[in-house]
Amino acid sequence: TTGFALVSSRWVSSTGAMKTLTMLVCPACGSRDTTGHGHYETVHNGTRSLRACTACGEVFSETTGTPMHGIKTPISKVAAALRVRGEGMGLRATARILGTHKNTIAEWEHRFGGMKPTLMLYGLCQTFIQLTLEGDEIYTVVGQRVHPADSTGWTAVILERASRFLVDQQCGGKDATLFKKVMESVAAYAKRTQDTTFLSDGERRYGNTLFELCAQTVRTGKRGRPRKTLPKGCRVRLKNKGDQRHRRGSKRPKYQAPQPEHPDTSPDFPEAAIHANHLEGHNAALRRRNSAFRRRTNTYAKNTDALQRTLDVHLLQHNFVRPHWTTGEVPAVRLGIRVTPLRLEDILMMQKAA
Protein backbone atom coordinates (compact mmCIF):
# COMPACT_ATOMS: atom_id res chain seq x y z
CA THR A 1 0.00 0.00 0.00
CA THR A 2 1.26 3.46 -0.86
CA GLY A 3 0.05 6.87 0.13
CA PHE A 4 -3.18 8.08 1.67
CA ALA A 5 -5.48 7.61 -1.34
CA LEU A 6 -6.02 3.90 -0.67
CA VAL A 7 -9.06 1.66 -0.82
CA SER A 8 -9.97 0.47 2.68
CA SER A 9 -13.30 -1.31 2.14
CA ARG A 10 -16.01 -1.91 -0.44
CA TRP A 11 -19.73 -2.58 -0.23
CA VAL A 12 -22.79 -2.55 -2.49
CA SER A 13 -25.49 0.06 -1.94
CA SER A 14 -29.22 -0.61 -2.11
CA THR A 15 -29.19 0.55 -5.72
CA GLY A 16 -26.58 -2.04 -6.64
CA ALA A 17 -23.76 0.45 -7.29
CA MET A 18 -20.32 -0.47 -6.00
CA LYS A 19 -19.23 2.03 -3.35
CA THR A 20 -15.70 2.59 -2.07
CA LEU A 21 -14.60 4.04 1.25
CA THR A 22 -11.32 5.71 0.33
CA MET A 23 -8.94 8.24 1.86
CA LEU A 24 -9.95 10.66 -0.91
CA VAL A 25 -11.84 13.43 0.87
CA CYS A 26 -14.68 15.32 -0.75
CA PRO A 27 -13.53 18.96 -1.12
CA ALA A 28 -17.06 20.23 -0.42
CA CYS A 29 -18.18 18.36 2.71
CA GLY A 30 -15.13 16.32 3.82
CA SER A 31 -16.83 12.94 3.41
CA ARG A 32 -14.83 9.87 2.38
CA ASP A 33 -17.92 8.07 1.11
CA THR A 34 -17.47 8.27 -2.67
CA THR A 35 -18.35 6.31 -5.80
CA GLY A 36 -16.78 6.13 -9.23
CA HIS A 37 -18.14 8.69 -11.69
CA GLY A 38 -16.37 7.81 -14.90
CA HIS A 39 -13.03 8.83 -16.38
CA TYR A 40 -11.56 11.59 -18.47
CA GLU A 41 -8.54 11.83 -20.76
CA THR A 42 -5.69 14.26 -20.14
CA VAL A 43 -3.25 15.57 -22.71
CA HIS A 44 -0.08 14.30 -21.00
CA ASN A 45 -1.08 12.17 -17.99
CA GLY A 46 -3.35 9.51 -19.49
CA THR A 47 -6.72 8.57 -18.07
CA ARG A 48 -7.84 9.90 -14.71
CA SER A 49 -10.89 8.97 -12.70
CA LEU A 50 -13.71 11.10 -11.36
CA ARG A 51 -15.31 10.53 -7.95
CA ALA A 52 -18.80 11.45 -6.80
CA CYS A 53 -19.53 12.15 -3.14
CA THR A 54 -22.59 10.21 -1.97
CA ALA A 55 -23.15 12.67 0.87
CA CYS A 56 -23.41 15.95 -1.08
CA GLY A 57 -23.19 14.92 -4.75
CA GLU A 58 -19.96 16.83 -5.46
CA VAL A 59 -17.98 15.44 -8.43
CA PHE A 60 -14.22 15.82 -8.24
CA SER A 61 -11.07 14.47 -9.85
CA GLU A 62 -8.61 12.08 -8.24
CA THR A 63 -6.03 14.90 -8.31
CA THR A 64 -8.17 17.21 -6.15
CA GLY A 65 -6.19 18.24 -3.09
CA THR A 66 -2.92 16.81 -4.46
CA PRO A 67 0.19 18.70 -5.63
CA MET A 68 -0.74 17.83 -9.23
CA HIS A 69 -4.16 19.49 -9.08
CA GLY A 70 -4.55 21.84 -12.04
CA ILE A 71 -1.11 21.04 -13.49
CA LYS A 72 -1.14 20.00 -17.14
CA THR A 73 2.57 19.23 -17.32
CA PRO A 74 3.39 15.49 -17.41
CA ILE A 75 3.92 14.15 -13.92
CA SER A 76 7.17 12.56 -15.12
CA LYS A 77 8.56 16.01 -15.94
CA VAL A 78 7.54 17.43 -12.55
CA ALA A 79 9.17 14.46 -10.80
CA ALA A 80 12.29 14.85 -12.94
CA ALA A 81 12.60 18.51 -11.92
CA LEU A 82 12.32 17.58 -8.23
CA ARG A 83 14.81 14.76 -8.66
CA VAL A 84 17.37 16.99 -10.38
CA ARG A 85 16.93 19.72 -7.78
CA GLY A 86 17.37 17.09 -5.08
CA GLU A 87 20.81 16.29 -6.47
CA GLY A 88 22.05 19.85 -5.99
CA MET A 89 21.35 21.54 -9.31
CA GLY A 90 20.37 25.21 -9.14
CA LEU A 91 16.91 26.51 -9.96
CA ARG A 92 17.91 28.37 -13.13
CA ALA A 93 20.07 25.49 -14.41
CA THR A 94 17.18 23.05 -13.91
CA ALA A 95 14.87 25.40 -15.80
CA ARG A 96 17.32 25.61 -18.73
CA ILE A 97 17.72 21.83 -18.94
CA LEU A 98 13.99 21.05 -18.79
CA GLY A 99 12.92 24.02 -20.90
CA THR A 100 10.65 25.35 -18.14
CA HIS A 101 10.51 28.74 -16.47
CA LYS A 102 12.23 28.90 -13.10
CA ASN A 103 9.08 30.26 -11.44
CA THR A 104 7.18 27.20 -12.61
CA ILE A 105 9.72 24.88 -11.00
CA ALA A 106 9.58 26.95 -7.82
CA GLU A 107 5.79 26.50 -7.80
CA TRP A 108 6.18 22.74 -8.21
CA GLU A 109 8.57 22.72 -5.27
CA HIS A 110 6.15 24.78 -3.21
CA ARG A 111 3.35 22.31 -3.88
CA PHE A 112 5.57 19.30 -3.21
CA GLY A 113 6.89 20.82 0.03
CA GLY A 114 3.30 21.46 1.08
CA MET A 115 2.98 17.71 1.62
CA LYS A 116 5.36 17.90 4.59
CA PRO A 117 2.62 18.14 7.29
CA THR A 118 0.76 15.20 5.74
CA LEU A 119 3.76 12.89 5.43
CA MET A 120 5.21 13.77 8.82
CA LEU A 121 1.98 12.45 10.35
CA TYR A 122 3.44 8.98 9.73
CA GLY A 123 5.86 9.57 12.61
CA LEU A 124 3.41 11.30 14.93
CA CYS A 125 0.95 8.39 14.63
CA GLN A 126 3.47 5.91 16.06
CA THR A 127 4.71 5.04 19.55
CA PHE A 128 8.45 4.51 19.95
CA ILE A 129 10.46 2.66 22.56
CA GLN A 130 13.67 4.65 22.21
CA LEU A 131 14.85 7.61 20.14
CA THR A 132 18.19 9.40 20.11
CA LEU A 133 17.96 12.83 18.51
CA GLU A 134 20.77 15.17 17.46
CA GLY A 135 20.48 18.94 17.02
CA ASP A 136 22.80 21.23 15.09
CA GLU A 137 22.78 24.34 12.88
CA ILE A 138 24.00 25.06 9.36
CA TYR A 139 24.50 28.50 7.82
CA THR A 140 24.10 30.02 4.39
CA VAL A 141 23.69 33.52 2.98
CA VAL A 142 20.18 34.87 2.43
CA GLY A 143 19.79 38.05 0.39
CA GLN A 144 22.59 40.53 1.09
CA ARG A 145 25.70 39.51 2.98
CA VAL A 146 25.52 40.59 6.62
CA HIS A 147 27.20 39.46 9.81
CA PRO A 148 26.08 35.90 10.65
CA ALA A 149 24.64 37.09 13.97
CA ASP A 150 22.22 39.34 12.04
CA SER A 151 21.48 36.90 9.22
CA THR A 152 18.30 34.90 8.62
CA GLY A 153 20.28 32.17 6.86
CA TRP A 154 20.54 29.82 9.85
CA THR A 155 18.92 26.39 9.63
CA ALA A 156 18.29 24.29 12.74
CA VAL A 157 18.20 20.56 11.96
CA ILE A 158 16.97 17.68 14.14
CA LEU A 159 18.04 14.14 13.14
CA GLU A 160 17.13 10.75 14.60
CA ARG A 161 20.45 8.95 14.96
CA ALA A 162 19.70 5.29 14.23
CA SER A 163 17.50 5.76 11.16
CA ARG A 164 18.85 9.16 9.97
CA PHE A 165 15.23 10.36 9.88
CA LEU A 166 14.91 14.15 9.77
CA VAL A 167 12.46 15.19 12.49
CA ASP A 168 12.48 18.79 11.30
CA GLN A 169 14.58 21.53 9.74
CA GLN A 170 13.62 25.19 9.91
CA CYS A 171 15.40 28.34 8.78
CA GLY A 172 15.49 31.90 10.08
CA GLY A 173 17.47 34.08 12.42
CA LYS A 174 19.44 32.30 15.13
CA ASP A 175 17.07 33.29 17.91
CA ALA A 176 14.50 31.84 20.29
CA THR A 177 11.85 31.63 17.54
CA LEU A 178 13.98 29.33 15.40
CA PHE A 179 14.80 26.96 18.25
CA LYS A 180 11.17 26.86 19.37
CA LYS A 181 10.03 25.82 15.88
CA VAL A 182 12.22 22.72 15.74
CA MET A 183 11.92 21.81 19.43
CA GLU A 184 8.14 21.73 19.17
CA SER A 185 8.62 18.77 16.82
CA VAL A 186 11.04 17.17 19.29
CA ALA A 187 8.52 17.64 22.11
CA ALA A 188 5.82 15.96 20.00
CA TYR A 189 8.04 12.91 19.45
CA ALA A 190 9.12 12.85 23.12
CA LYS A 191 5.47 12.49 24.17
CA ARG A 192 5.21 9.34 22.05
CA THR A 193 8.51 7.78 23.13
CA GLN A 194 9.37 5.86 26.28
CA ASP A 195 13.04 6.82 26.26
CA THR A 196 14.21 10.01 24.50
CA THR A 197 17.74 11.39 24.44
CA PHE A 198 18.54 14.74 22.87
CA LEU A 199 22.17 15.59 22.05
CA SER A 200 23.82 18.80 20.86
CA ASP A 201 27.30 20.24 20.45
CA GLY A 202 27.50 23.23 22.77
CA GLU A 203 24.22 24.96 21.87
CA ARG A 204 22.27 25.24 25.13
CA ARG A 205 19.10 26.76 23.67
CA TYR A 206 17.89 23.38 22.40
CA GLY A 207 17.66 21.96 25.91
CA ASN A 208 16.35 25.20 27.40
CA THR A 209 13.54 25.37 24.85
CA LEU A 210 12.62 21.70 25.29
CA PHE A 211 12.43 22.27 29.04
CA GLU A 212 10.10 25.24 28.54
CA LEU A 213 7.85 23.21 26.23
CA CYS A 214 7.41 20.01 28.20
CA ALA A 215 8.67 20.45 31.79
CA GLN A 216 6.66 18.63 34.46
CA THR A 217 6.22 19.32 38.14
CA VAL A 218 7.49 16.50 40.38
CA ARG A 219 5.73 16.22 43.73
CA THR A 220 7.70 14.29 46.34
CA GLY A 221 5.59 15.04 49.42
CA LYS A 222 8.34 17.18 50.93
CA ARG A 223 7.85 20.74 52.05
CA GLY A 224 8.65 23.57 49.67
CA ARG A 225 7.87 24.39 46.08
CA PRO A 226 7.83 21.29 43.82
CA ARG A 227 10.61 21.39 41.28
CA LYS A 228 10.17 21.11 37.55
CA THR A 229 11.97 18.47 35.50
CA LEU A 230 11.96 17.05 32.00
CA PRO A 231 9.29 14.36 31.44
CA LYS A 232 9.97 10.84 32.61
CA GLY A 233 12.27 9.04 30.15
CA CYS A 234 13.53 12.27 28.55
CA ARG A 235 17.13 13.44 28.92
CA VAL A 236 19.32 16.16 27.38
CA ARG A 237 23.08 15.85 27.01
CA LEU A 238 25.46 18.58 25.90
CA LYS A 239 29.00 18.38 24.63
CA ASN A 240 31.00 21.56 25.19
CA LYS A 241 33.50 21.65 22.35
CA GLY A 242 36.66 23.74 22.25
CA ASP A 243 39.24 24.84 24.79
CA GLN A 244 37.88 26.18 28.08
CA ARG A 245 41.10 27.86 29.18
CA HIS A 246 40.10 31.27 27.84
CA ARG A 247 36.92 31.32 29.94
CA ARG A 248 36.88 33.38 33.08
CA GLY A 249 35.59 31.81 36.27
CA SER A 250 34.58 28.17 36.55
CA LYS A 251 35.11 25.97 33.53
CA ARG A 252 32.30 24.01 31.99
CA PRO A 253 32.74 20.24 31.93
CA LYS A 254 33.08 18.61 28.53
CA TYR A 255 29.83 16.68 28.97
CA GLN A 256 26.80 18.10 30.75
CA ALA A 257 23.20 17.32 31.62
CA PRO A 258 22.03 20.96 31.66
CA GLN A 259 18.36 20.33 32.52
CA PRO A 260 16.94 18.67 35.66
CA GLU A 261 15.66 15.20 34.85
CA HIS A 262 12.83 13.14 36.31
CA PRO A 263 13.92 10.97 39.27
CA ASP A 264 12.77 7.83 37.43
CA THR A 265 14.79 8.65 34.30
CA SER A 266 17.96 6.59 34.07
CA PRO A 267 20.98 8.94 34.09
CA ASP A 268 23.18 6.37 32.36
CA PHE A 269 24.29 7.44 28.90
CA PRO A 270 27.83 6.78 27.63
CA GLU A 271 29.91 9.93 27.23
CA ALA A 272 31.47 8.61 24.03
CA ALA A 273 28.00 8.71 22.43
CA ILE A 274 27.38 12.38 23.31
CA HIS A 275 28.02 14.09 19.98
CA ALA A 276 26.24 15.24 16.82
CA ASN A 277 28.62 13.64 14.32
CA HIS A 278 25.85 11.98 12.33
CA LEU A 279 24.05 15.28 11.89
CA GLU A 280 27.27 17.03 10.90
CA GLY A 281 27.67 14.40 8.19
CA HIS A 282 24.13 15.11 7.04
CA ASN A 283 24.87 18.85 6.92
CA ALA A 284 27.85 18.16 4.67
CA ALA A 285 25.56 16.19 2.36
CA LEU A 286 23.00 19.00 2.48
CA ARG A 287 25.56 21.38 0.99
CA ARG A 288 25.96 18.96 -1.93
CA ARG A 289 22.26 18.25 -2.46
CA ASN A 290 20.78 21.72 -1.90
CA SER A 291 22.15 24.45 -4.16
CA ALA A 292 21.13 27.16 -1.66
CA PHE A 293 23.90 25.91 0.64
CA ARG A 294 26.69 25.68 -1.94
CA ARG A 295 29.72 27.85 -1.15
CA ARG A 296 30.14 29.21 -4.65
CA THR A 297 28.07 32.38 -5.16
CA ASN A 298 27.47 35.71 -3.46
CA THR A 299 23.75 35.11 -2.97
CA TYR A 300 22.66 31.62 -1.97
CA ALA A 301 18.94 32.20 -1.34
CA LYS A 302 16.80 35.22 -2.17
CA ASN A 303 14.75 35.07 1.03
CA THR A 304 13.86 32.76 3.91
CA ASP A 305 10.66 31.56 2.21
CA ALA A 306 12.65 30.30 -0.77
CA LEU A 307 15.21 28.69 1.53
CA GLN A 308 12.49 26.97 3.59
CA ARG A 309 10.88 25.71 0.36
CA THR A 310 14.08 23.95 -0.65
CA LEU A 311 14.50 22.56 2.88
CA ASP A 312 11.00 21.05 2.84
CA VAL A 313 11.63 19.42 -0.55
CA HIS A 314 14.94 18.04 0.70
CA LEU A 315 13.34 16.70 3.91
CA LEU A 316 10.63 14.77 2.06
CA GLN A 317 13.05 13.24 -0.43
CA HIS A 318 15.52 12.38 2.34
CA ASN A 319 12.93 10.80 4.66
CA PHE A 320 10.60 8.99 2.26
CA VAL A 321 12.20 8.57 -1.18
CA ARG A 322 15.99 8.30 -1.16
CA PRO A 323 17.91 5.45 0.55
CA HIS A 324 20.50 6.75 3.00
CA TRP A 325 24.08 6.11 1.94
CA THR A 326 25.04 4.68 5.35
CA THR A 327 22.09 2.47 6.31
CA GLY A 328 21.13 1.53 2.75
CA GLU A 329 17.45 2.09 3.62
CA VAL A 330 15.00 4.95 3.31
CA PRO A 331 14.94 6.62 6.77
CA ALA A 332 11.15 6.30 7.16
CA VAL A 333 11.41 2.56 6.50
CA ARG A 334 14.38 2.25 8.84
CA LEU A 335 12.46 4.06 11.58
CA GLY A 336 9.53 1.70 11.11
CA ILE A 337 6.86 4.22 10.14
CA ARG A 338 6.72 3.02 6.52
CA VAL A 339 6.81 -0.49 5.09
CA THR A 340 8.03 0.57 1.66
CA PRO A 341 9.61 3.75 0.25
CA LEU A 342 7.57 6.30 -1.66
CA ARG A 343 8.24 7.51 -5.19
CA LEU A 344 8.11 11.17 -6.12
CA GLU A 345 5.12 10.37 -8.32
CA ASP A 346 3.34 8.80 -5.33
CA ILE A 347 3.71 11.98 -3.28
CA LEU A 348 2.64 14.18 -6.19
CA MET A 349 -0.61 12.19 -6.46
CA MET A 350 -1.23 12.04 -2.71
CA GLN A 351 -4.06 14.04 -1.20
CA LYS A 352 -3.27 16.35 1.69
CA ALA A 353 -4.51 15.28 5.10
CA ALA A 354 -7.71 17.04 6.08
Side-chain angles (χ1 to χ4, degrees):
T1 59
T2 301
F4 287 87
L6 306 177
V7 174
S8 57
S9 62
R10 293 177 181 270
W11 74 96
V12 179
S13 68
S14 58
T15 61
M18 181 65 72
K19 300 172 68 177
T20 304
L21 184 64
T22 73
M23 293 302 288
L24 282 174
V25 178
C26 173
C29 67
S31 173
R32 292 186 175 90
D33 186 2
T34 66
T35 59
H37 196 74
H39 301 80
Y40 67 98
E41 295 293 329
T42 64
V43 177
H44 299 294
N45 292 298
T47 303
R48 286 179 175 167
S49 63
L50 292 171
R51 309 295 301 177
C53 177
T54 56
C56 68
E58 179 77 10
V59 177
F60 58 97
S61 169
E62 63 178 328
T63 61
T64 301
T66 72
M68 287 298 296
H69 179 64
I71 295 180
K72 298 180 180 180
T73 306
I75 189 173
S76 59
K77 186 173 182 178
V78 178
L82 295 170
R83 192 172 291 112
V84 169
R85 288 281 285 152
E87 292 299 330
M89 184 168 288
L91 185 64
R92 293 175 182 271
T94 303
R96 289 193 297 269
I97 290 175
L98 297 180
T100 305
H101 197 277
K102 63 181 180 63
N103 292 348
T104 301
I105 297 178
E107 174 62 20
W108 294 346
E109 290 184 341
H110 176 74
R111 291 187 177 212
F112 183 82
M115 294 301 297
K116 176 183 174 181
T118 299
L119 288 172
M120 294 305 283
L121 286 176
Y122 276 112
L124 296 177
C125 292
Q126 307 292 326
T127 300
F128 303 97
I129 297 176
Q130 184 180 45
L131 291 178
T132 300
L133 307 175
E134 300 180 9
D136 199 10
E137 312 85 52
I138 184 172
Y139 174 74
T140 188
V141 176
V142 172
Q144 298 296 321
R145 282 186 177 273
V146 295
H147 191 275
D150 302 322
S151 175
T152 58
W154 289 95
T155 299
V157 187
I158 309 297
L159 180 81
E160 200 285 315
R161 174 177 287 182
S163 64
R164 308 304 199 273
F165 185 84
L166 285 173
V167 173
D168 204 358
Q169 49 186 15
Q170 297 285 340
C171 68
K174 196 175 182 181
D175 52 20
T177 302
L178 176 63
F179 290 100
K180 186 176 181 180
K181 285 180 182 179
V182 293
M183 295 313 290
E184 284 176 345
S185 299
V186 173
Y189 275 86
K191 291 179 181 178
R192 311 190 65 84
T193 308
Q194 298 179 21
D195 187 282
T196 307
T197 303
F198 185 85
L199 310 171
S200 67
D201 285 345
E203 179 54 70
R204 312 178 77 84
R205 282 176 285 186
Y206 289 112
N208 295 340
T209 306
L210 182 62
F211 187 80
E212 294 173 2
L213 291 172
C214 59
Q216 296 180 348
T217 301
V218 177
R219 301 184 182 276
T220 61
K222 298 181 180 180
R223 296 180 63 181
R225 179 179 297 177
R227 66 170 185 154
K228 289 186 175 182
T229 69
L230 291 170
K232 180 181 177 181
C234 182
R235 66 180 66 83
V236 174
R237 293 293 184 271
L238 185 72
K239 180 180 180 181
N240 292 308
K241 298 193 298 184
D243 193 356
Q244 297 283 317
R245 288 179 296 181
H246 69 283
R247 288 182 57 86
R248 295 182 179 180
S250 60
K251 312 301 182 186
R252 290 176 177 173
K254 186 173 183 179
Y255 301 103
Q256 281 185 291
Q259 304 299 335
E261 297 172 2
H262 194 279
D264 296 334
T265 300
S266 173
D268 298 331
F269 195 82
E271 291 186 347
I274 302 176
H275 58 77
N277 295 350
H278 302 84
L279 183 48
E280 290 176 355
H282 165 267
N283 289 346
L286 180 61
R287 292 196 180 278
R288 297 192 300 269
R289 292 187 178 275
N290 190 327
S291 60
F293 288 89
R294 292 285 181 86
R295 293 189 177 101
R296 62 182 182 182
T297 60
N298 291 326
T299 301
Y300 301 83
K302 298 296 183 183
N303 51 61
T304 53
D305 291 338
L307 181 60
Q308 187 62 55
R309 184 192 74 236
T310 65
L311 289 170
D312 291 343
V313 172
H314 170 266
L315 181 143
L316 295 183
Q317 294 198 48
H318 174 92
N319 281 348
F320 298 98
V321 179
R322 185 189 301 122
H324 194 272
W325 68 89
T326 299
T327 64
E329 295 182 87
V330 172
V333 176
R334 179 81 171 183
L335 188 61
I337 63 175
R338 285 281 310 171
V339 177
T340 58
L342 290 171
R343 299 179 305 132
L344 292 174
E345 292 83 356
D346 297 331
I347 300 176
L348 289 169
M349 291 296 293
M350 187 181 295
Q351 194 175 39
K352 290 183 179 181

